Every structure is written in structure tokens, then in C-alpha cells.
Amino acid sequence: MLNQVMDFAGEVLPGSCALPPYSETAFLAELGERLRSSRARCALSRRELARRSGISERYIAQIEAGKGNVSIVLLLRLASAIHGSQVRAA
């Protein structure tokens, strides 16, 4: 599972090639876009991702809009929910 989470983090977390100074606003916007594209790639609605991750649909929408400053623990829950759907879809 840790490998799946690390793969997801590499997919979702922007800034791996970024140089300081970092723009927190740009980082959160890109994080949201990457979460949205990962969710869409797995054909998950926000409602279904919310159900699987235990994170409210509204908060997921905020993250995807670049407004939610998400914790590492919540990213782990999102990654587990998304990667769990990929295993079932395969």
C-alpha cells in the first residue's frame, strides 16, 4: 500500500521540480487539478470519493478548487480511496 500511496503522491503532489520561492496558491491549485484528474481517470464522482475516503464532498470540492489546505493524512485517505478504485476497475 505504501508504494501505491507514494506513486499517487508523485502523481498528485506538484512542485517536485519547483524551485524556491514556492507559490502556495499555485501549489494548491495544481494539487487540486491533479486530484480532479486522478478522480476522473478512475471514473469516480466527488460523492463516491467522499464516501470511500470519509472526507466530505464539499471539502473535496474545495481541495479541487485550490482552496483547501489539505493535510498529509487526508491525502493518504484520498490516495487509498482512488487507488482502491483502480484495483477494482482493472
Side-chain angles (χ1 to χ4, degrees), residues 1-2 5 8 71-81:
M1 179 175 155
L2 182 57
V5 171
F8 178 75
S71 73
I72 296 299
V73 172
L74 291 185
L75 280 177
L76 175 63
R77 287 168 52 187
L78 290 167
S80 296

Side-chain angles (χ1 to χ4, degrees), residues 5-31:
V5 171
M6 292 181 69
D7 290 344
F8 178 75
E11 259 176 53
V12 173
L13 292 176
S16 59
C17 298
L19 298 174
Y22 302 110
S23 166
E24 292 177 6
T25 303
F27 179 88
L28 291 174
E30 189 170 336
L31 174 67

Side-chain angles (χ1 to χ4, degrees), residues 5-84:
V5 171
M6 292 181 69
D7 290 344
F8 178 75
E11 259 176 53
V12 173
L13 292 176
S16 59
C17 298
L19 298 174
Y22 302 110
S23 166
E24 292 177 6
T25 303
F27 179 88
L28 291 174
E30 189 170 336
L31 174 67
E33 178 55 40
R34 289 182 183 202
L35 175 61
R36 183 182 305 109
S37 66
S38 292
R39 179 177 59 77
R41 192 171 46 252
C42 295
L44 286 174
S45 66
R46 280 189 191 140
R47 178 169 289 160
E48 181 61 17
L49 181 57
R51 187 188 70 75
R52 291 179 185 198
S53 66
I55 299 169
S56 76
E57 187 176 345
R58 184 175 182 172
Y59 192 59
I60 291 171
Q62 288 177 338
I63 295 167
E64 289 184 352
K67 307 292 183 200
N69 194 354
V70 64
S71 73
I72 296 299
V73 172
L74 291 185
L75 280 177
L76 175 63
R77 287 168 52 187
L78 290 167
S80 296
I82 287 174
H83 278 281

